[in-house]
Amino acid sequence: MTDEKPALRLENIVKTFPGVRALDDVSFAVMPGEVHALMGENGAGKSTLMKVLGGILQPNEGRIFIEEESTIMTTPLDAKAKGVVFIHQELSLADELSVAENIFLGELPRKSFGRVDWGKLYEQTDAILKTLNVGFNARTRVGDLSIANQQMVEIARALTVDPRAVIFDEPTASLTDAEKVVLFDVIADLKSRGVGIVYISHRMEEIFKITDRISVLRDGQYRGTLETAKTDEDEVTQLMIGRSLDLSRNEEHREHGEVALEVRGLSCGDLYRDVSFKVHRGEVVGFYGLVGAGRTEIAETIFGLRDPSEGQILLDGQELRIHSPVDAIRHGISLVPEDRKGQGLVLGMNCRDNMTLPQVDDLTAGPFVSDGAEIAIFDQYRDKLDIRTPGWRQTVGNLSGGNQQKIVIGKWLSMHPNVLIVDEPTRGIDVGSKSEIHNLIRDLAGQGYAVIVISSEMPEVLHVSDRIVAMYHGRIMREFSAEEVTEDSLIQAISGIESEKVA
Ligand SMILES: Nc1ncnc2c1ncn2[C@@H]1O[C@H](COP(=O)(O)OP(=O)(O)OP(=O)(O)O)[C@@H](O)[C@H]1O
Ligand SMILES: [Mg+2]
């Protein structure tokens, strides 16, 4: 491999934004047929570096080489023409258009006289979709797809050309395990064809499963490159955040208070059936299952976004009638949604206003809530969650992906809810901040809040929960206490295998 030319190479790249030196003299290379991980904390500069490579951003300084020939990437289409395809962290699809139109946007096949060749468009699209094994077709409207499926459309879009390098920026954040298998097959196939792959992810298991080398950025600076086979999670974490982390199971057994939230026989059409559970004050209940098991839909029902077809929701023993999020918030129920982009943030608004948004009612109803109070709330949660931004005035859309998520989490935490439901709380969050958020969740419960954590990551569920509810296809399969749960029993339960309890 030593005398082989890199497929792509970036040399001494500098990129600044007002108040931020996002990339400070970074060099980076991908070899043909290599899967090269790019890691670093939220805001370290990973997406920015790849946007420079993908023609989305122009660097202030530095050079780009394709097979050692100097080049300039003027636009994303230019980069694509030069064989560099970028699969984005933030979905950039048009909801109103079909899957086929999204995949071939800007490059629709045409007949003579310039009319779109719909037959050919659908045929080509379905051929690509077939290789991805997805459950939708070329004509499906993108807005009707789940986030996971939208991510698959984004991936399909990359496969329309014969690329030299493909950049995956946190591609698995919202994929199911089955979809991940398909994605990893796609990556293996690209690799065998000599395509260079850059893979950005905060998930260590994946990094160690599929990558050959790992490069680390920290605060916009290059920190080093490790060979995956010759390193371990601890060394990578050290390089990323300068310290080691404790990612063990929750072994703190504390006394819980009264039942805060109770759900009895709740059903919602085909989404989930006959769901009953309780959450005590001071307790963290983890909901574990595969994407699509119905966990998000239950949370949405409790938060008033869906009406149940049957069943009751009780708070402190009183039955609640919740028909909208306003009702839920009034009863002190908060939901940190899974789709933080769609449901949680106003991208054009500044950090402070995004964080204090749900309190606007209170603020306008109350007598004098000054700017100062809002800034104080923002500062408090910026410190607690280590949100990297030059200040509260920064537009949320300019923050790194993970830091945007922290703003949403801060927004709901700052309301001091009775019941806090967090859906995939650390998706897209770096390992260091992940453990901070886990500690914060444990602390909140310690202060008497009732907390539900929905997560598809087993280590996370094991780390934060006092009790774990395992779901499969819209049903609760089993409940485990933190003491009794094992990884095997949990996997069985969420795969629909009914385990007989041995007495
Ligand atoms: N358009 C922009 N305007 C201002 N600042 C920006 C802009 N884009 C990125 N930044 C800043 O540059 C820094 C690097 O951001 P980047 O998105 O590259 O981080 P990242 O490593 O991808 O993080 P994450 O893991 O959270 O996705 C951050 O401080 C971010 O706020
Ligand atoms: Mg990013």
Side-chain angles (χ1 to χ4, degrees), residues 190-476:
L190 290 167
K191 183 177 154 87
S192 70
R193 282 159 43 196
V195 177
I197 290 147
V198 182
Y199 192 83
I200 302 179
S201 171
H202 292 291
R203 297 194 171 160
M204 290 282 190
E205 316 146 46
E206 292 174 2
I207 297 288
F208 279 88
K209 192 165 155 191
I210 68 162
T211 71
D212 301 302
R213 290 196 295 166
I214 302 170
S215 284
V216 175
L217 293 181
R218 184 161 175 207
D219 291 331
Q221 291 177 344
Y222 171 74
R223 278 307 163 105
T225 301
L226 302 166
E227 268 184 64
T228 310
K230 293 186 184 153
T231 183
D232 57 22
E233 290 194 18
D234 199 49
E235 193 182 11
V236 177
T237 306
Q238 285 276 1
L239 206 55
M240 278 172 61
I241 65 174
R243 63 192 159 96
S244 299
L245 287 172
D246 165 30
L247 293 169
S248 56
R249 292 171 55 152
N250 170 30
E251 279 175 355
E252 161 196 42
H253 305 303
R254 54 161 98 99
E255 296 288 307
H256 301 136
E258 304 281 288
V259 173
L261 179 76
E262 182 175 356
V263 165
R264 284 189 198 152
L266 206 65
S267 298
C268 185
D270 296 335
L271 296 171
Y272 59 84
R273 269 159 308 159
D274 198 21
V275 166
S276 301
F277 63 89
K278 292 176 184 164
V279 189
H280 300 79
R281 292 196 183 280
E283 186 181 40
V284 180
V285 177
F287 272 67
Y288 185 61
L290 300 174
V291 174
R295 298 164 303 161
T296 295
E297 289 77 7
I298 293 172
E300 288 173 350
T301 309
I302 297 170
F303 193 58
L305 289 164
R306 290 176 190 275
D307 279 330
S309 40
E310 266 173 86
Q312 297 164 293
I313 300 168
L314 297 90
L315 186 68
D316 298 324
Q318 301 277 339
E319 187 174 353
L320 300 182
R321 309 227 166 272
I322 301 172
H323 298 293
S324 72
V326 175
D327 296 342
I329 291 171
R330 193 178 304 129
H331 290 295
I333 300 173
S334 290
L335 170 66
V336 180
E338 167 185 38
D339 170 15
R340 286 179 268 269
K341 259 286 157 53
Q343 300 168 20
L345 286 174
V346 184
L347 291 180
M349 214 150 95
N350 72 38
C351 292
R352 179 201 64 187
D353 292 349
N354 264 288
M355 200 180 273
T356 52
L357 197 62
Q359 301 174 32
V360 162
D361 268 0
D362 288 350
L363 301 186
T364 46
F368 297 102
V369 181
S370 62
D371 264 14
E374 288 187 29
I375 295 169
I377 293 175
F378 173 76
D379 283 345
Q380 187 190 349
Y381 285 91
R382 177 177 66 179
D383 293 348
K384 273 194 179 162
L385 297 167
D386 190 23
I387 299 172
R388 304 284 172 91
T389 163
W392 64 263
R393 289 187 183 81
Q394 179 68 282
T395 306
V396 160
N398 288 342
L399 297 191
S400 78
N403 282 301
Q404 292 185 6
Q405 306 207 15
K406 292 183 190 177
I407 297 270
V408 185
I409 293 171
K411 157 172 128 174
W412 293 109
L413 293 183
S414 68
M415 295 176 67
H416 304 295
N418 285 314
V419 177
L420 176 69
I421 308 172
V422 284
D423 197 351
E424 303 289 357
T426 61
R427 191 163 80 189
I429 303 264
D430 68 60
V431 286
S433 305
K434 218 178 221 181
S435 87
E436 285 162 31
I437 289 176
H438 291 162
N439 291 339
L440 208 72
I441 289 173
R442 298 288 316 156
D443 284 354
L444 283 170
Q447 291 164 35
Y449 299 121
V451 186
I452 295 177
V453 174
I454 300 174
S455 176
S456 308
E457 283 190 53
M458 188 178 310
E460 172 157 286
V461 169
L462 293 175
H463 190 64
V464 300
S465 311
D466 297 300
R467 209 145 44 83
I468 299 172
V469 171
M471 287 199 64
Y472 169 74
H473 271 305
R475 282 182 181 278
I476 292 181

Side-chain angles (χ1 to χ4, degrees), residues 15-23 38-51 57 89-90 169-170 200-202 217 219-220 388-390 394-406 428-430:
K15 179 70 194 173
T16 59
F17 298 106
V20 185
R21 198 168 174 86
L23 295 172
L38 190 53
M39 296 197 75
E41 291 176 285
N42 297 129
K46 304 176 297 293
S47 295
T48 304
L49 187 66
M50 290 304 112
K51 283 176 185 168
L57 292 172
Q89 179 173 17
E90 296 89 21
D169 195 350
E170 300 192 38
I200 302 179
S201 171
H202 292 291
L217 293 181
D219 291 331
R388 304 284 172 91
T389 163
Q394 179 68 282
T395 306
V396 160
N398 288 342
L399 297 191
S400 78
N403 282 301
Q404 292 185 6
Q405 306 207 15
K406 292 183 190 177
I429 303 264
D430 68 60

